[in-house]
Every structure is written in C-alpha cells, then in structure tokens.
C-alpha cells in the first residue's frame, strides 16, 4: 500500500521569506515522488519529481524538494516566496514496486502575503 | 494536441440524469488516468488505462461510473443516474514512456454540478 500525508491544510508566508510545504509518504518499497501545483480554476501543473539519484531535486519556478529516506519526507521549498506562488500544492507518491497509479495528498494551500 | 483537453469544462445536470465527460490526451501518450477532486478531499483515483491492457477500474466508486478509451486515444467517463455527491471536478491526465515514472500531465478538468 502507498500513502502520502500533507500535514498542513494551509501555509502562510510573507513575500520574500523562504517557504516550506511538507509531505511525508509511506510505501512498501522505494518511492517515486512528485509535486504538482494547482492555480484557481485550473488543472494540476507538474513542478518536480524524484525518481533516483541526487536527493535534492530542482524544478519549475525556483522550487526544489529534498528526498529524505530516513524521515520518509519530500518537503517542497523555495528560498524566496512570491505572491504569485499562492496556490494549492499536491504531493504524490508511487511505490516503485507497486502499481503505476500515483496516490495524491489532500493538498496544501499556500498563501503568500505581500 | 499541445495538452490534455477535456470537455465540457462545466456541466450542470439534474439529479438522476446521465452525463458523459470527454478526455483527449496528449498525442502519443499511452497512459490515461481519471481522478476526481472534491472540495477539501484531494484527488481521488478513478480509473487507469495503459495501451491495450485491461483498465484498472479499482477506483470507481460505484457501478454508476464507467469509462472507455477508444482506439487508445480519446476517453469518455460516464456517470449514470447522477447524485448530488457526484458534484466534483473530474480531472483527466496522460503520460508516455515508462508508466509511473514519466510525468503525468493534467487537463483543466470538467466541473460537474448535480442539482
């Protein structure tokens, strides 16, 4: 079985400050991990993914995420938040040895204040 | 096409009516997914198609829901005898290459409201 948890429904951060959106996962084997962003009334857009290799993954719009196997986490980070980063963020996981269907978290609403 | 295309973008239907939602994946993508997004519920997997293999229907919530994919391309999700709890955004997505690894691209969704 595979599952993903996004413990925060909402994250508030001031523009220019660093941001972190948390994600933890559970899989039987090794994980493939993904982050997506959803702007209001839009579909999900791919940000970045971890498949193998370097634990620090860099993606679109200046976002990055760090895979931490011991803590089973894949937190999304950005050094300096923009108001335009305000959106709904989804973490997803797929068990490498499991089905081809990723499981998504419930989403975290990021609000960046001017 | 350039991206995953879904239609209609918005649909209001009366309780008990049947609805069809269409998805046109990115050209050449062999994998196609349907998810449902309800308010505050995250994304709920519905069904997965991969090439000519039998679809994985394990996420369909009831026998009122069905989906088909014709010619390995366009997919239609059908909801029969709609209920108010079916109101949600229905998202279609596709991917190519190695299933489960390659990036999944989502459409803009079909917003369904059952009144």
């Amino acid at each position: 079985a595979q599952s993903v948890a996004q413990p925060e429904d909402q994250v508030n951060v001031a523009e220019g400050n660093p941001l972190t959106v948390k994600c933890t996962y559970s899989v039987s084997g090794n994980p493939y991990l993904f982050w997506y962003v959803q702007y209001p009334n839009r579909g999900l857009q791919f940000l970045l993914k971890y498949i193998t290799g370097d634990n620090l993954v860099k993606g679109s719009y200046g976002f990055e995420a760090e895979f931490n196997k011991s803590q089973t986490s894949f937190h999304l980070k950005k050094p300096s938040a923009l108001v335009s980063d305000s959106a709904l963020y989804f973490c997803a996981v797929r068990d490498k040895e499991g089905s081809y269907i990723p499981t998504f978290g419930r989403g975290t609403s990021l609000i960046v204040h001017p | 096409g350039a991206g995953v295309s879904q239609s209609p973008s918005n649909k209001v239907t009366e309780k008990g009516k049947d609805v069809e939602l269409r998805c046109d994946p990115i050209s050449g993508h062999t994998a196609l997914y349907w998810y449902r997004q309800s308010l505050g519920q995250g994304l709920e997997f519905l069904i997965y198609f991969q090439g000519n293999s039998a679809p994985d229907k394990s996420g369909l919530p009831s026998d009122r829901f069905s989906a088909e994919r014709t010619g390995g391309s366009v997919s239609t999700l059908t909801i029969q005898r709609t209920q108010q709890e079916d109101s949600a955004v229905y998202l279609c997505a596709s991917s190519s290459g190695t299933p489960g690894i390659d990036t999944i691209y989502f459409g803009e969704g079909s917003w369904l409201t059952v009144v």
Side-chain angles (χ1 to χ4, degrees):
Chain A
Q2 59 191 33
S3 66
V4 62
Q6 295 182 241
E8 302 154 317
D9 290 335
Q10 184 172 302
V11 170
N12 291 276
V13 64
E15 186 174 32
N17 283 0
L19 69 88
T20 299
V21 183
K22 296 180 180 178
C23 172
T24 59
Y25 66 88
S26 176
V27 295
S28 301
N30 293 304
Y32 295 141
L33 294 153
F34 309 83
W35 275 104
Y36 284 81
V37 59
Q38 185 179 36
Y39 297 101
N41 302 318
R42 303 295 301 275
L44 275 69
Q45 296 179 30
F46 170 76
L47 277 179
L48 51 79
K49 65 182 176 184
Y50 171 82
I51 302 300
T52 188
D54 195 344
N55 289 343
L56 184 64
V57 179
K58 294 186 182 296
S60 307
Y61 312 121
F63 284 93
E64 60 187 30
E66 185 167 11
F67 170 60
N68 188 316
K69 189 171 184 177
S70 63
Q71 296 185 5
T72 61
S73 67
F74 189 57
H75 301 331
L76 182 70
K77 299 183 179 184
K78 187 174 182 182
S80 179
L82 300 172
V83 172
S84 57
D85 293 330
S86 299
L88 191 58
Y89 290 80
F90 290 94
C91 181
V93 67
R94 185 182 86 76
D95 190 331
K96 182 179 179 180
E97 286 78 32
S99 82
Y100 297 133
I101 302 161
T103 297
F104 285 79
R106 293 168 61 92
T108 297
S109 177
L110 173 67
I111 300 174
V112 182
H113 302 277
Chain B
V4 178
S5 178
Q6 292 188 245
S7 61
S9 54
N10 284 283
K11 176 73 175 178
V12 180
T13 190
E14 292 181 351
K15 178 181 174 181
K17 300 282 190 182
D18 297 352
V19 296
E20 287 189 350
L21 307 176
R22 175 189 167 102
C23 173
D24 198 345
I26 294 171
S27 178
H29 280 193
T30 58
L32 187 146
Y33 307 76
W34 282 99
Y35 283 86
R36 178 168 70 175
Q37 183 178 18
S38 303
L39 189 62
Q41 298 297 315
L43 269 68
E44 175 189 7
F45 164 72
L46 297 177
I47 189 168
Y48 165 69
F49 296 90
Q50 172 57 42
N52 294 321
S53 302
D56 182 336
K57 303 180 182 181
S58 61
L60 294 178
S62 77
D63 58 9
R64 296 188 296 106
F65 288 72
S66 63
E68 63 177 18
R69 189 178 184 190
T70 54
S73 181
V74 172
S75 176
T76 302
L77 177 69
T78 301
I79 308 173
Q80 295 179 309
R81 305 181 301 282
T82 52
Q83 303 295 312
Q84 288 185 331
E85 60 263 29
D86 300 334
S87 296
V89 180
Y90 290 83
L91 293 166
C92 178
S94 69
S95 70
S96 68
T98 307
I101 294 180
D102 276 3
T103 300
I104 297 174
Y105 296 91
F106 284 83
E108 298 285 288
S110 289
W111 294 68
L112 175 66
T113 303
V114 182
V115 297

